[in-house]
Amino acid sequence: MYIRFALGRLDPWSGAPMGFFRVAYLLQGDERVPDWLREVLREETDWFDRHLGLPARCWRGDRARLGETGICWFRPEARKHIAHAHVLKALIEEAGVAVGRLQTRDPGDVVWHDRHQIVAKPVHTTRVAW
């Protein structure tokens, strides 16, 4: 199963639940979040910056069209990355933002991949479980 961590709100570009990395970075600059929590959020995102490559391709076709943005998923064999993602999920939730863990066997049309993740364009048959 491919794994993704996301918020309940929809990303305006993809129409899919917004990924949790974006909020993790935003919380680091939010002065309402306690200093100790911002620091551990930074440590976890720094780990991902060092150990998870940026996708070279996150969309198919004309990027400006809504619904054309690819969705990032962890590959099932990326166990260490998924373990760190669970830590990041807990930290984000400590800051008061709910994060869900999604999984699917068929994420859609894969437009990019590396050893730890894929980027897929969902299709109408993509089924995701929270």
Side-chain angles (χ1 to χ4, degrees), residues 7 18 20 24 28 30-31 46-47 57 74-75 77 90 92 103 108 110 121:
L7 310 180
M18 185 183 299
F20 76 149
Q28 291 173 40
D30 187 338
E31 293 186 8
D46 285 351
W47 186 90
R57 184 162 185 210
F74 288 109
R75 295 172 73 123
E77 56 273 10
I92 293 169
Q103 57 186 32
V110 176
K121 169 73 174 78

Side-chain angles (χ1 to χ4, degrees), residues 75-86:
R75 295 172 73 123
E77 56 273 10
R79 290 181 183 89
K80 191 169 189 175
H81 292 74
I82 293 169
H84 276 272
H86 278 284

